């Protein structure tokens, strides 16, 4: 079995030709597509919404990993589920009633993920870890592609793996931000399950198959 799956982020795709960008992902052998939703409030940038997810769902059969960098995520779970998300990940920092949102995602038949920004410790997730299907560790402050990975955040991957082992939890551990040929080995060694890559994947520079 492979050590991890690659989830290329269409944040760095060619927006004039998303179909071509999705073909590039499919041809690479990556089984997931990471879809960054930004609202200009929780993060300073704005990307796109449900209509784009719905459109690309029609032409792509890969796993849709939707990363909601938005305030009030509870208001948009249902529409992203209907648009075709398979995994829906919201930010710990953008919500209060985490259990309720996870239940909401599960009730729609989707996998539920929670994400932490670099300043949030793993310990903040203590009460929620038994219920989630995925924990997304941000290794940059969310909002933009092409930023530099903060090395200290990589330790959170190993911490989450240790907690999962200790309590027999089932979540996948994902990492997002600043993954390139210099940093990818550190997250694989830490025990990551899903690697998100935007700029280095679409520039064609990322080499990952040799680490599988
Ligand atoms: C950043 C996004 C990331 C982004 C990563 O806020 O959540 O998914 O696409 O881009 P790179 O791989 O360029 O850091
Ligand atoms: Zn992301």
């Amino acid at each position: 079995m492979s050590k991890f799956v690659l989830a290329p982020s269409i944040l760095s795709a060619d927006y004039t030709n998303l179909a071509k960008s999705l073909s590039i992902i499919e041809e690479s052998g990556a089984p997931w597509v990471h879809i960054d939703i930004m609202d200009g409030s929780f993060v300073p940038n704005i990307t796109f919404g449900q209509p784009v997810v719905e459109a690309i769902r029609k032409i792509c059969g890969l796993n849709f990993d939707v990363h909601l960098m938005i305030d009030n995520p509870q208001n948009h779970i249902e529409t992203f589920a209907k648009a075709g998300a398979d995994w829906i990940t919201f930010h710990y920092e953008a919500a209060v009633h985490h259990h309720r949102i996870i239940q909401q995602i599960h009730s729609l038949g989707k996998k539920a993920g929670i994400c932490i920004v670099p300043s949030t410790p793993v310990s903040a997730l203590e009460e929620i870890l038994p219920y989630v299907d995925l924990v997304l560790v941000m290794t940059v402050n969310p909002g933009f592609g092409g930023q530099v990975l903060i090395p200290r955040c990589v330790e959170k991957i190993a911490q989450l793996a240790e907690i999962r082992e200790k309590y027999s939890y089932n979540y996948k551990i994902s990492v997002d931000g600043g993954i390139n040929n210099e940093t990818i080995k550190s997250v694989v060694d830490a025990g990551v399950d899903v690697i998100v890559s935007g700029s280095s994947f679409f520039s064609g520079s990322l080499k990952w198959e040799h680490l599988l």
Side-chain angles (χ1 to χ4, degrees):
M1 211 177 81
S2 298
K3 279 191 199 158
F4 62 88
V5 297
L6 191 75
S9 167
I10 56 166
L11 184 66
S12 297
D14 176 359
Y15 288 1
T16 67
N17 198 342
L18 278 177
K20 175 84 194 317
S21 294
L22 290 165
S23 307
I24 291 169
I25 296 174
E26 281 168 352
E27 283 159 19
S28 79
W32 288 33
V33 181
H34 186 82
I35 301 174
D36 285 310
I37 310 295
M38 304 186 188
D39 67 351
S41 174
F42 180 68
V43 289
N45 209 356
I46 299 176
T47 52
F48 45 78
Q50 296 89 336
V52 171
V53 178
E54 195 175 343
I56 62 174
R57 179 78 285 176
K58 295 194 179 99
I59 57 165
C60 181
L62 300 179
N63 244 313
F64 274 15
D65 175 31
V66 173
H67 177 192
L68 297 179
M69 286 164 275
I70 63 175
D71 285 322
N72 296 309
Q74 67 280 355
N75 297 344
H76 304 283
I77 300 293
E78 188 170 347
T79 47
F80 276 106
K82 290 202 170 128
D86 297 302
W87 296 73
I88 301 178
T89 296
F90 65 97
H91 269 263
Y92 169 83
E93 303 83 6
V96 176
H97 308 298
H98 303 104
H99 296 81
R100 184 182 291 157
I101 299 174
I102 290 161
Q103 283 168 5
Q104 195 185 358
I105 297 170
H106 284 157
S107 72
L108 293 157
K110 309 299 180 182
K111 299 284 192 187
I114 196 153
C115 183
I116 49 174
V117 301
S119 62
T120 301
V122 166
S123 58
L125 299 176
E126 185 179 347
E127 295 299 325
I128 211 73
L129 289 179
Y131 308 102
V132 289
D133 303 299
L134 179 142
V135 181
L136 179 54
V137 175
M138 290 302 308
T139 37
V140 299
N141 285 283
F144 304 93
Q147 301 182 80
V148 177
L149 174 141
I150 302 168
R152 200 180 149 86
C153 296
V154 176
E155 293 167 26
K156 293 181 189 177
I157 297 167
Q159 285 174 32
L160 283 161
E162 197 180 322
I163 294 168
R164 179 175 60 190
E165 172 80 19
K166 183 171 176 190
Y167 296 104
S168 301
Y169 293 155
N170 287 314
Y171 51 78
K172 290 184 187 298
I173 305 166
S174 180
V175 68
D176 186 3
I179 299 299
N180 55 37
N181 290 330
E182 281 71 53
T183 56
I184 189 167
K185 190 164 184 310
S186 69
V187 300
V188 173
D189 289 347
V192 81
D193 303 302
V194 182
I195 297 178
V196 177
S197 172
S199 50
S200 63
F201 176 84
F202 277 106
S203 73
S205 64
L206 187 70
K207 303 277 175 280
W208 52 284
E209 294 93 337
H210 66 291
L211 295 168
L212 284 174

